[in-house]
Amino acid sequence: MPQVYRSSLAVSLNGRKPISLSGRVLWSMSVQKKLEKYSAEELLKELRARHAKKSSTAYGEAYQVDKELENVDSEIIAQELRFKQKVIYGTDNRMDIFSVTDPLVLNSADGVVALFRSGDVVDNGNGTSTLQTQNFGTRLRLCGAPPPQTLCTTEAFFNQPSGVGLCSGFLVASDVIATAGHCIDNIMEPQTTLSNVRFIFGFRMLNANNPTTFSVNNTEIYRGISVIGKVHSEGGADWALVRTDRPVNNHRILPIRFEGRIADNQGVYVIGHPASIPTKFAGGANVRNNTPGSFFVANLDTYGGNSGSPIFNVDTHIVEGILVRGETDFVDAGTCCVSQVCPSNGCDGEHCTRTTEFQYLLRNSEEVWFMNGQRLVNRGIVLAEDGNPIFVGLPWSIVGVGDMNGNGKADIVWHNGQTNETQVWFMNGQRLVNRGTVLDEDGNAIFVGLPWSIVGVGDMNGNGKADIVWHNGQS
């Protein structure tokens, strides 16, 4: 079955209410005997085949309608499937944050954001904004097939607000939010243009009946000003790091894995905005495929809108990955839709891009882009003399790039804002060959600070070697 972005599995039944006993629907004896012969997977295939036939999707090629079941209503099959999967695979583990009592999980939730379209965030003129939402249960086309259908009234979170929403994300630095790559500047989705996205903290239910949609403090709403890095590979890595318009000072920066990989079968949990409803926590999941290099697969309970959600290690509470794609959310089988937890050992599972795919951008690393005009040909992290990535942060900063020794290759000029040392890195492409402190005319190390600052590097006297230009901000 093909993968879709950020989802779990779902089926549906129509509105009739048959008699049930101990949670199982009892139909006529002949129908019941028929249904008992089929596994949950086979019943699910039958519903998918009917959905494909109704909506003319590609699934019709993969699953053929079973002739023995052709006279059994879809609602009956869906009810039986719901019972069998409840017994065999467990139930939907999603829960509202106000129901969570684990303080470590609550800490994790503090750093999660919802991505909304800017047009759906309306300023109230009093320092707050209203989020434009609709009722989750009565949203149309959740099943993706004509005629337009809504959720069944028995669905969890039926009456909660749902944004026309985009994705989820999480704070990884004071002014950096991580999300899925397909959630930002996706050419197939115009609403994901960075200027059209707002990052909102605290979109959650305060209690069972009251959401924080009508009065969101404007201090909790952020814009993105640049994309620091992004990869959107079909079937592979899928991530984006966005610089916010100002630092986030009142929410927790979530710790991520910088090296190594998550253990096989490791327990994980997810926090995000399934179907763009208020924040949900879902645990009880495990890594089920740890083989792929850029992502791992887990049996998480997620839906559309969860794309970009952080996936946490249940033991360490560090972020191990970003949810990026998974199973289809809803399958039409009648007049309304019912979500269904994907079998723990079935379907393709939920794909989670490893945080190690983008960690280098959060470790004060430098990257060289090798260009052909405006076209990026190749890129590489700056390497130290020993060939390992080198990470340099404040008080050091890059103040210029130029060929300092006349060998035809650009070098890097650094300045230390505390010691006022200026240092030159002599480079061979992305590899550091040698380094040295700038010396004065007598060969002694020279330290220059404010009000002087370096404003440029270039060959000022035509000798083929770059020079340094300083400016005094006072005189």
Side-chain angles (χ1 to χ4, degrees):
M1 177 180 172
Q3 285 273 314
V4 295
Y5 290 123
R6 79 284 153 267
S7 57
S8 189
L9 187 60
V11 296
S12 70
L13 60 152
N14 70 29
R16 284 187 283 176
K17 296 181 179 179
I19 298 173
S20 65
L21 180 64
S22 298
R24 189 174 197 176
V25 179
L26 298 179
W27 307 99
S28 69
M29 188 64 69
S30 60
V31 172
Q32 197 66 46
K33 285 185 176 180
K34 271 186 185 179
L35 294 174
E36 286 176 355
K37 296 191 299 184
Y38 290 85
S39 68
E41 283 293 312
E42 290 169 331
L43 293 176
L44 180 58
K45 286 182 179 180
E46 175 66 18
L47 291 178
R48 283 177 173 161
R50 296 182 180 198
H51 171 67
K53 185 176 180 180
K54 187 174 183 179
S55 59
S56 300
T57 69
Y59 293 135
E61 300 176 5
Y63 307 121
Q64 300 299 319
V65 174
D66 192 314
K67 291 184 178 180
E68 190 173 349
L69 293 174
E70 61 185 358
N71 293 322
V72 181
D73 286 349
S74 294
E75 64 169 307
I76 298 176
I77 296 173
Q79 291 259 17
E80 181 68 10
L81 172 62
R82 193 171 179 82
F83 171 78
K84 286 190 173 185
Q85 287 197 334
K86 181 177 180 180
V87 172
I88 298 172
Y89 304 118
T91 57
D92 183 351
N93 290 311
R94 295 172 301 159
M95 61 191 299
D96 279 297
I97 297 301
F98 69 79
S99 299
V100 175
T101 57
D102 187 331
L104 295 178
V105 174
L106 292 174
N107 281 343
S108 297
D110 186 59
V112 176
V113 299
L115 276 61
F116 268 72
R117 300 183 305 187
S118 59
D120 292 328
V121 182
V122 181
D123 196 317
N124 296 326
N126 61 357
T128 68
S129 291
T130 296
L131 304 182
Q132 298 293 302
T133 60
Q134 53 188 295
N135 183 281
F136 175 47
T138 57
R139 283 178 59 182
L140 297 179
R141 294 199 180 281
L142 285 173
C143 300
Q149 295 180 358
T150 62
L151 294 182
C152 294
T153 55
T154 55
E155 267 298 281
F157 317 122
F158 182 93
N159 288 314
Q160 291 194 6
S162 174
V164 178
L166 301 173
C167 294
S168 304
F170 57 103
L171 192 65
V172 291
S174 63
D175 61 347
V176 180
I177 288 173
T179 187
H182 68 266
C183 294
I184 299 294
D185 287 341
N186 186 341
I187 60 174
M188 303 300 293
E189 301 285 349
Q191 68 268 29
T192 65
T193 302
L194 184 59
S195 61
N196 190 47
V197 177
R198 296 294 179 267
F199 303 89
I200 300 174
F201 288 91
F203 175 44
R204 58 178 64 177
M205 297 297 293
L206 299 175
N207 51 49
N209 300 310
N210 298 307
T212 58
T213 52
F214 303 113
S215 184
V216 177
N217 197 304
N218 288 344
T219 60
E220 300 285 63
I221 302 172
Y222 293 79
R223 293 182 300 104
I225 58 174
S226 65
V227 177
I228 299 171
K230 173 186 169 181
V231 172
H232 177 197
S233 173
E234 297 289 343
D238 186 355
W239 59 268
L241 296 182
V242 175
R243 181 88 62 193
T244 56
D245 59 330
R246 63 193 190 278
V248 180
N249 297 318
N250 61 331
H251 288 281
R252 188 168 183 261
I253 297 172
L254 300 184
I256 70 167
R257 176 182 290 277
F258 280 93
E259 56 191 9
R261 62 168 53 196
I262 191 171
D264 295 347
N265 303 313
Q266 172 64 49
V268 292
Y269 65 90
V270 60
I271 299 177
H273 297 273
S276 299
I277 60 179
T279 315
K280 299 291 178 286
F281 159 81
N286 298 85
V287 174
R288 47 183 277 189
N289 183 357
N290 205 16
T291 303
S294 62
F295 65 93
F296 59 88
V297 182
N299 57 331
L300 292 153
D301 297 340
T302 58
Y303 289 72
N306 267 127
S307 273
S309 296
I311 309 303
F312 298 88
N313 186 309
V314 297
D315 296 321
T316 64
H317 298 279
I318 68 168
V319 179
E320 297 278 4
I322 299 177
L323 184 78
V324 295
R325 55 187 173 269
E327 289 291 334
T328 305
D329 291 335
F330 301 100
V331 177
D332 165 53
T335 60
C336 62
C337 308
V338 174
S339 61
Q340 195 77 2
V341 179
C342 192
S344 297
N345 58 354
C347 307
D348 290 331
E350 307 301 299
H351 291 199
C352 312
T353 294
R354 301 180 192 274
T355 58
T356 49
E357 290 294 300
F358 58 84
Q359 55 81 22
Y360 64 92
L361 291 174
L362 299 172
R363 295 185 66 170
N364 296 312
S365 65
E366 288 67 47
E367 190 172 76
V368 177
W369 285 20
F370 300 97
M371 309 295 293
N372 181 7
Q374 70 190 76
R375 180 70 176 269
L376 174 62
V377 177
N378 196 7
R379 69 180 85 187
I381 297 175
V382 171
L383 305 176
E385 295 92 336
D386 60 4
N388 293 315
I390 187 168
F391 305 102
V392 180
L394 294 175
W396 289 97
S397 60
I398 295 174
V399 291
V401 174
D403 183 5
M404 304 300 291
N405 57 0
N407 69 348
K409 299 179 180 179
D411 306 303
I412 303 173
V413 181
W414 293 83
H415 185 262
N416 187 310
Q418 289 185 354
T419 66
N420 297 322
E421 177 185 0
T422 305
Q423 192 175 98
V424 177
W425 285 15
F426 299 99
M427 307 296 296
N428 181 9
Q430 73 193 74
R431 179 75 174 264
L432 174 59
V433 177
N434 196 7
R435 67 182 95 184
T437 300
V438 171
L439 308 176
D440 64 15
E441 298 88 340
D442 298 323
N444 299 315
I446 186 170
F447 302 91
V448 181
L450 294 175
W452 290 96
S453 61
I454 296 174
V455 293
V457 173
D459 184 4
M460 305 301 292
N461 57 2
N463 67 349
K465 299 178 182 180
D467 307 299
I468 300 174
V469 179
W470 294 81
H471 179 260
N472 187 309
Q474 289 184 354
S475 64

